[in-house]
Each structure stands twice: as structure tokens, then as C-alpha cells.
């Protein structure tokens, strides 16, 4: 085999050589191409190198492949690819494989003519009628639909990793939708897929091999089709460019990018999906990553939430990075136990992209660096403990910002309608769970009680005591009588809500005055030392917001 130097630039051509084409290489020659993680300029390139290894390994399963394309060697930092011209074309045919499938449209597709006018594209066959059920009225309605052949990316590697659910492949569908609406959102960028679907001969693999063989270090343009966030020129008029041998790797990162769907919370607590959060692993150990990433991908559940996988739905875009780290750590733990291991990941970069009209917007970029403490905290949130999207969103934000679990809830309660907090069953449940099981364990001796325990028990004593004094109702008196139990619950909720509304509008000294005069007006059994601990927290300006947050959470929990 011949080897192409991976770092040395091609020798400069003298005046006599200018205008001449570079020497051609026999297409049957098997060349070796080497890449090192250390030379990669971005996490997308490093993920692309890992994706290349996985795509080449998957290609070996295809009996109809042509030529030579194989990984000659791979270790923690480098990879050597051996390929001839036909082998490289087989690789590109596999990653850009596509098919034509019939899809129904409620409106005719249109195309733009040279003069800018739009005309309808005739469907494959005459329109047909379909019966739809209105989701609100449940009434059946008839609509005309038009049938068109649409190009569908194959994504064979993603398909292989998707175990499916009820005969469907939700992760494959999510990958296809992401590719078609973001990476290839502009029709002109879909040519590699279109060519395979229409069974036209394509030369992109051949061209890539020629480029790597003869001019690997040539400066080339870097479009957003390959690199997220790239554009023709920056605001300072600097063009986005790359080196040919490095840009080659960007064909492969989409196969190892974990795809998530951020959910926007509306006032009625329903959710809208907002684009995609692409979690791109910043690979630290190439060999370990390639060996284990398939386990991470296969470990995702195929259960659906609406029309997307439930495990793909997140509350914040940056949460995608936390989930990739968590899943990676689970694979490490299952394969190597508690032994000391070299991490696969330096970090996870998260790109939040969304299609807006004919443009794809980059809404935000985040980076999550693996930390054991942060991972443990996120595991408590992600394990299904919390039901309220509002509560969970704030909790995840605190994990990302490395803040205490209760941080920010005072502001959340003060700025959010009470229908979404203390009057919402899921929010109240989550508050109760956080203060008794998940964040704080309720069954601890008095000597080990923290400020969270003290505030919760102080609030609980106030609500129950005030309900009994004002309405002559207690659980002991009503237990067993359904009507009286309901009345007791309503009265208790009213007492808690009145205090909640009063506290959320008070800050600083005003809050301290209300807490001491109102919440402390009902007796509670506690040692003098514990009373002093609450008093010290109220007198410390740095702790007042903590007491206020915990008080509002406790009132929601008790209500």
C-alpha cells in the first residue's frame, strides 16, 4: 500500500509546473490516510473521525461493497484508513444512500421558476380523499391529499442501532427529519441523497479520494452543510475555510451526534417542540469511544412521546449534553465497574438548531464538561422523579449552572401564575417529593436535620395548625369520611395558598417580618438550637433567598 503524508504540505510547484494538472494515481492503488485527534480543530471534526471508523466498520457487513475501504489501525489518539477509489465510493454510497417513497401532502408542492414565479408541481397521480379525525371535536372530516415521491435518507447505521417500538423506528425517523430539515434543509444541498434515490451515478466518493490522494492540505470552503455555525463569511468578512483532509471528516459526525428535541412550555403547560439539540461528543479516547458508542445508542428507549422518542425530549437544549454524559457513564460502569477509567469524552458540545422558513437558525451553543457530582444530580432529575415540566426545567437549569437544587424557585414562583405552581397537582407533588425523598431525605434524626428539614416542618406545622384553629379541621377528625376529607383538603390548600401569595410578593426584610410574625405564630416542637438555626438564616442577607425559596416550595408541598 502507498501512504499519503497526513501533515506535510505538498511541495510548491515552480513556474514551469504552473497550469499543469497534478500527477494522476492509479485508482486501484490502496492508499493509507491517517488522522490524529490532536490535530482536529473542533469537536465536530473529532466526532467525524469517530463516525468514520463506525461507518467503515458497518460498511464491511455489506456484501455488495466494491473496492477496499477498511480501518487499518485505530488507537486512543489516531486512525489509519486504507482505501482505493472504488472503496471510497462504496463508503459514500452507503452514508448517502436514499430511496424514493410516497408521501401524502394536503397542498400541492411548488417550484420557483427563473423569473421568480411559483408554479404547482403535478402529483404522482390524481388526488385522493382521506378521512381525518379532528383532535378537538373528534368529528370525522374528509380532505383531499396529493401523492408525491419524496427522497428519504436511508441512514442504515442509525437504523441498525434503533431497536424500534411497536414496529416503528423512532430514532431513525428523528435522524432523517433532522438531516432533511437542518443539515440539508436547502434543496440544493440534498444532491448526494437525490442521486442515490434516483439511481444516478455519483462521483462524490471518487472526488473525495482524489482530493485526499493529490491535494490533502488544500484550503477549501467550509459550508454549514458540513459544519454547524459556518457561513460563507463572518461579520468581519473573513471566509470560513478548512483543510481538505480535515473537512473530509465532517461527512461522518451526524452518525454519532445524539439528537434531542427541546420542548417549549406554554402557559397551559402544553409543550411545543423547538428544533433540534445536537449533542456532539468531543472525543478524548478514539478507540474506547468507537468500541462503546453503539451501546450508548442502543440503550435509548423507543417509547414515544407524541411523534418523537420519549428519551429525546428535553426541557433545555443544554440538557442534551448532560444526558449524553449520563448515558456514557452508565456504559462505562456496566463494562468496567467502579474501576478507574480513562474518560472517552473531553466534553459534549450542544448546538440548538431550528428551521425558520427557508433558513436554519443556530439558536444557541453550549458545552457540558463531564463532572461526577453534576452527573449524579442530573440522574436524580432524569430518572422520572419529577412530573412537572416547570419544576424539572428549573431543576435542570440548576444542575447546568452548578447551583443548589432549590435555587431560582423563589423567582419562578413569583413570576409564574399560581395555576402553574401551587394550584397545579404535578408541581405540588414534585415539591413534596423533593423535600421528602429526592433532594432531602425526610427520615433523619433531629441532629442531622438541615435548613431544608427545618423550613419544611415549620411550614407544615403552620398550615396544619392554622387549618385546625380557623376551621376546626384536622386529619384525625375527618379521616374515614370522604366528604369531610375533601373539605379538609380544600381548607388546607386555601391556607397554604394565602401564605404562598403573600410570600411571593415579599422580599428581604418584608419577607423576614412576615415569616416571623405569621409562619412562626403556630407552636412547633423543636429544640432551641434548631430555632436558632432558622433565626440565623433569616438574619443573614445571603441566606434569606434560600429560606424564601424553600418556604414557597414547602407551602406547595403541604398544599
Amino acid at each position: 500500500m502507498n501512504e499519503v503524508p497526513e501533515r506535510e504540505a505538498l511541495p510548491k510547484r515552480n513556474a514551469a509546473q504552473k497550469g499543469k494538472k497534478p500527477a494522476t494515481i492509479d485508482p486501484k492503488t490502496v492508499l493509507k490516510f491517517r488522522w490524529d485527534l490532536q490535530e482536529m480543530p473542533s469537536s465536530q471534526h473529532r466526532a467525524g473521525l469517530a463516525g468514520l471508523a463506525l461507518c467503515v466498520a458497518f460498511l464491511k457487513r455489506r456484501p455488495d461493497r466494491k473496492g477496499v475501504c477498511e480501518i487499518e489501525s485505530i488507537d486512543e489518539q489516531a486512525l489509519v484508513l486504507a482505501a482505493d477509489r472504488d472503496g471510497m465510493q462504496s463508503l459514500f454510497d452507503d452514508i448517502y444512500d436514499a430511496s424514493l417513497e410516497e408521501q401524502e401532502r394536503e397542498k400541492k408542492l411548488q417550484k420557483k421558476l427563473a423569473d421568480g414565479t411559483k408554479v404547482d408541481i403535478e402529483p404522482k397521480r390524481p388526488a385522493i380523499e382521506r378521512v381525518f379525525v379532528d383532535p378537538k371535536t373528534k368529528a370525522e372530516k374528509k380532505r383531499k391529499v396529493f401523492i408525491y415521491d419524496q427522497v428519504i435518507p436511508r441512514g442504515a447505521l442509525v437504523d441498525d442501532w434503533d431497536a424500534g417500538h411497536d414496529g416503528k423506528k423512532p430514532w431513525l425517523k428523528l435522524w432523517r427529519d433532522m438531516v432533511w430539515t437542518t443539515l440539508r434543509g436547502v434543496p440544493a444541498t440534498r444532491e448526494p441523497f437525490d442521486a442515490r434515490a434516483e439511481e444516478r451515478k455519483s462521483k462524490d466518493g471518487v472526488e473525495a479520494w482524489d482530493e485526499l490522494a493529490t491535494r490533502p492540505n488544500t484550503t477549501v470552503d467550509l459550508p454549514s452543510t458540513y459544519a454547524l455555525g459556518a457561513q460563507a463569511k463572518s461579520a468581519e468578512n473573513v471566509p470560513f475555510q478548512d483543510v481538505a483532509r480535515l473537512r473530509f471528516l465532517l461527512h461522518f459526525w451526524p452518525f454519532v451526534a445524539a439528537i434531542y428535541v427541546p420542548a417549549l412550555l406554554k402557559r397551559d403547560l402544553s409543550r411545543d417542540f423547538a428544533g433540534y439539540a445536537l449533542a456532539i461528543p468531543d472525543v478524548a479516547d478514539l478507540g474506547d469511544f468507537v468500541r462503546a458508542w453503539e451501546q450508548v445508542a442502543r440503550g435509548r428507549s423507543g417509547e414515544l412521546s407524541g411523534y418523537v422518542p420519549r428519551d429525546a425530549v428535553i426541557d433545555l437544549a443544554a440538557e442534551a449534553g448532560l444526558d449524553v454524559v449520563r448515558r456514557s457513564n452508565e456504559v462505562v460502569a456496566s463494562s468496567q465497574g467502579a474501576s478507574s477509567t480513562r474518560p472517552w469524552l473531553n466534553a459534549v458540545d450542544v448546538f440548538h438548531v431550528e428551521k425558520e422558513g427557508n433558513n436554519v437558525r443556530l439558536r444557541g451553543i453550549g458545552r457540558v464538561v463531564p463532572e461526577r457530582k453534576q452527573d449524579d444530580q442530573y440522574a436524580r432529575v432524569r430518572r422520572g422523579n419529577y412530573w412537572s415540566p416547570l419544576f424539572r426545567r428549573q431543576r435542570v437549569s440548576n444542575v447546568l449552572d452548578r447551583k443548589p437544587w432549590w435555587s431560582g424557585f423563589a423567582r419562578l414562583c413569583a413570576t409564574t401564575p399560581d395555576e402553574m405552581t401551587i394550584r397545579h397537582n404535578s408541581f405540588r407533588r414534585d415539591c413534596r417529593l423533593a423535600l421528602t425523598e429526592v433532594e432531602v431525605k425526610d427520615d433523619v434524626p433531629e441532629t442531622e436535620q438541615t435548613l431544608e428539614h427545618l423550613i419544611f416542618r415549620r411550614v407544615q406545622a403552620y398550615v396544619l395548625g392554622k387549618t385546625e384553629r380557623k376551621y376546626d379541621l384536622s386529619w384525625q377528625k375527618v379521616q374515614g369520611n370522604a366528604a369531610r376529607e375533601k373539605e379538609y383538603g380544600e381548607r388546607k390548600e386555601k391556607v397554604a395558598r394565602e401564605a404562598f401569595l403573600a410570600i411571593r410578593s415579599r422580599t428581604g426584610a418584608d419577607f423576614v417580618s412576615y415569616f416571623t410574625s405569621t409562619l412562626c405564630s403556630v407552636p412547633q416542637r423543636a429544640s432551641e438550637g434548631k430555632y436558632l438555626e432558622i433565626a440565623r438564616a433569616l438574619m443573614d442577607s445571603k441566606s434569606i433567598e434560600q429560606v424564601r425559596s424553600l418556604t414557597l416550595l414547602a407551602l406547595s408541598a403541604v398544599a
Side-chain angles (χ1 to χ4, degrees):
M1 295 184 185
N2 297 324
E3 183 168 0
V4 174
E6 73 281 3
R7 294 189 182 184
E8 296 179 7
L10 292 177
K12 294 182 179 180
R13 295 156 68 189
N14 57 36
Q17 293 174 316
K18 287 184 178 180
K20 294 182 179 180
K21 294 182 179 179
T24 58
I25 298 177
D26 184 351
K28 298 296 183 182
T29 304
V30 178
L31 300 179
K32 293 188 291 184
F33 309 101
R34 177 187 171 94
W35 293 272
D36 291 275
L37 282 181
Q38 295 180 350
E39 65 176 325
M40 303 290 116
S42 74
S43 60
Q44 292 180 64
H45 290 83
R46 286 184 280 275
L49 185 58
L52 170 64
L54 290 165
C55 289
V56 171
F58 185 76
L59 178 67
K60 291 179 67 176
R61 306 182 196 179
R62 298 195 59 160
D64 59 341
R65 67 184 185 278
K66 297 178 180 179
V68 176
C69 186
E70 58 190 33
I71 302 300
E72 183 176 271
S73 66
I74 184 172
D75 57 29
E76 64 184 36
Q77 288 296 314
L79 174 154
V80 176
L81 174 70
D84 62 12
R85 221 178 185 201
D86 287 342
M88 188 70 79
Q89 187 60 50
S90 291
L91 177 62
F92 272 65
D93 286 342
D94 195 44
I95 65 173
Y96 289 118
D97 193 14
S99 61
L100 286 174
E101 297 182 14
E102 289 187 352
Q103 287 190 350
E104 296 180 355
R105 301 275 182 164
E106 293 186 14
K107 295 181 179 180
K108 287 186 176 182
L109 295 179
Q110 292 185 320
K111 64 180 179 181
K112 185 181 289 187
L113 300 179
D115 60 0
T117 59
K118 293 183 178 180
V119 295
D120 290 340
I121 300 175
E122 287 305 310
K124 185 176 181 180
R125 52 178 177 269
I128 59 177
E129 281 193 343
R130 292 288 192 208
V131 177
F132 294 87
V133 178
D134 190 296
K136 293 182 178 180
T137 65
K138 305 301 181 183
E140 292 187 351
K141 296 182 179 180
K142 290 184 178 180
R143 295 179 188 168
K144 280 187 176 181
V145 295
F146 304 93
I147 309 298
Y148 290 92
D149 279 335
Q150 294 293 302
V151 176
I152 305 296
R154 177 72 182 88
L157 179 58
V158 180
D159 187 5
D160 183 63
W161 290 343
D162 189 351
H165 180 74
D166 292 339
K168 299 178 181 178
K169 295 272 190 171
W171 292 102
L172 175 62
K173 182 181 185 305
L174 183 65
W175 182 85
R176 288 170 169 173
D177 291 344
M178 182 279 295
V179 169
W180 221 237
T181 59
T182 57
L183 302 184
R184 306 284 171 166
V186 178
T189 64
R190 299 172 180 172
E191 172 56 25
F193 294 101
D194 293 343
R196 272 82 182 181
E198 297 167 6
E199 299 182 352
R200 290 187 279 111
K201 190 173 182 179
S202 181
K203 295 183 178 181
D204 45 6
V206 168
E207 292 169 354
W209 187 86
D210 288 345
E211 191 171 59
L212 290 176
T214 62
R215 47 188 186 281
N217 297 302
T218 303
T219 300
V220 291
D221 292 336
L222 186 61
S224 58
T225 305
Y226 299 138
L228 293 170
Q231 50 189 327
K233 293 183 179 179
S234 69
E236 292 77 23
N237 205 33
V238 177
F240 278 64
Q241 295 180 323
D242 201 352
V243 176
R245 59 184 301 276
L246 297 182
R247 189 184 70 173
F248 169 82
L249 300 175
L250 298 179
H251 289 278
F252 305 95
W253 69 257
F255 293 94
V256 297
I259 307 171
Y260 294 81
V261 184
L264 293 179
L265 192 63
K266 297 192 289 188
R267 187 182 178 90
D268 61 357
L269 291 182
S270 62
R271 298 186 297 181
D272 273 343
F273 296 142
Y276 301 96
L278 306 182
I280 300 178
D282 192 352
V283 180
D285 187 313
L286 182 62
D288 280 354
F289 181 92
V290 170
R291 282 187 289 272
W293 185 251
E294 181 177 343
Q295 291 178 257
V296 177
R298 290 185 181 276
R300 303 172 300 186
S301 168
E303 185 181 354
L304 292 173
S305 175
Y307 56 88
V308 299
R310 185 176 298 280
D311 280 357
V313 180
I314 53 178
D315 297 289
L316 295 168
E319 185 184 348
L322 290 175
D323 196 56
V324 169
V325 170
R326 178 182 68 87
R327 293 181 181 279
S328 298
N329 286 341
E330 287 178 352
V331 170
V332 170
S334 64
S335 60
Q336 302 184 34
S339 61
S340 177
T341 58
R342 175 184 172 84
W344 315 344
L345 305 175
N346 293 313
V348 178
D349 288 332
V350 180
F351 296 79
H352 183 191
V353 294
E354 185 175 9
K355 185 76 177 292
E356 187 179 83
N358 293 324
N359 298 312
V360 177
R361 305 295 186 190
L362 184 59
R363 298 299 188 192
I365 302 175
R367 185 173 175 87
V368 175
V369 178
E371 293 180 10
R372 174 55 62 183
K373 182 179 179 181
Q374 191 180 47
D375 186 45
D376 291 342
Q377 290 179 344
Y378 179 65
R380 294 203 298 272
V381 179
R382 187 66 176 176
R383 204 175 287 134
N385 289 322
Y386 298 128
W387 294 356
S388 165
L390 193 69
F391 189 100
R392 193 171 56 244
R393 182 184 180 90
Q394 182 61 51
R395 187 67 189 89
V396 170
S397 178
N398 290 340
V399 173
L400 288 166
D401 295 339
R402 298 173 179 81
K403 293 181 178 180
W405 73 268
W406 47 262
S407 181
F409 276 101
R411 184 178 183 278
L412 175 71
C413 291
T415 57
T416 307
D418 61 343
E419 294 91 347
M420 300 172 69
T421 54
I422 194 170
R423 292 173 60 185
H424 195 275
N425 289 334
S426 293
F427 187 87
R428 293 188 306 206
R429 173 203 172 274
D430 289 352
C431 291
R432 184 167 57 255
L433 206 66
L435 287 164
T436 57
E437 295 181 34
V438 181
E439 313 296 345
V440 180
K441 299 298 181 183
D442 191 38
D443 53 344
V444 297
E446 185 179 12
T447 55
E448 298 179 15
Q449 290 178 6
T450 62
L451 187 60
E452 286 98 325
H453 292 103
L454 300 178
I455 297 298
F456 178 63
R457 294 180 182 181
R458 174 70 269 165
V459 168
Q460 190 176 45
Y462 166 77
V463 173
L464 299 183
K466 180 71 176 290
T467 303
E468 184 171 10
R469 287 195 311 179
K470 187 173 181 180
Y471 300 107
D472 191 27
L473 292 172
S474 66
W475 181 248
Q476 291 75 16
K477 293 180 180 179
V478 304
Q479 190 174 12
N481 186 323
R484 295 282 285 169
E485 285 181 5
K486 181 181 179 182
E487 181 187 3
Y488 170 73
E490 292 173 349
R491 297 300 187 186
K492 181 165 66 74
E493 181 183 351
K494 182 180 179 182
V495 170
R497 189 167 68 249
E498 287 174 350
F500 180 93
L501 296 175
I503 288 174
R504 76 173 193 170
S505 61
R506 288 172 165 83
T507 59
D510 196 17
F511 161 70
V512 174
S513 176
Y514 183 88
F515 187 96
T516 54
S517 63
T518 303
L519 297 187
C520 295
S521 63
V522 175
Q524 178 196 6
R525 291 182 180 180
S527 65
E528 182 180 354
K530 296 303 179 182
Y531 271 115
L532 289 175
E533 190 172 338
I534 296 177
R536 282 193 291 268
L538 290 170
M539 293 175 64
D540 185 352
S541 59
K542 296 180 180 179
S543 300
I544 291 177
E545 195 63 15
Q546 179 183 359
V547 177
R548 185 164 169 260
S549 291
L550 291 171
T551 302
L552 289 166
L553 291 172
L555 286 166
S556 299
V558 175

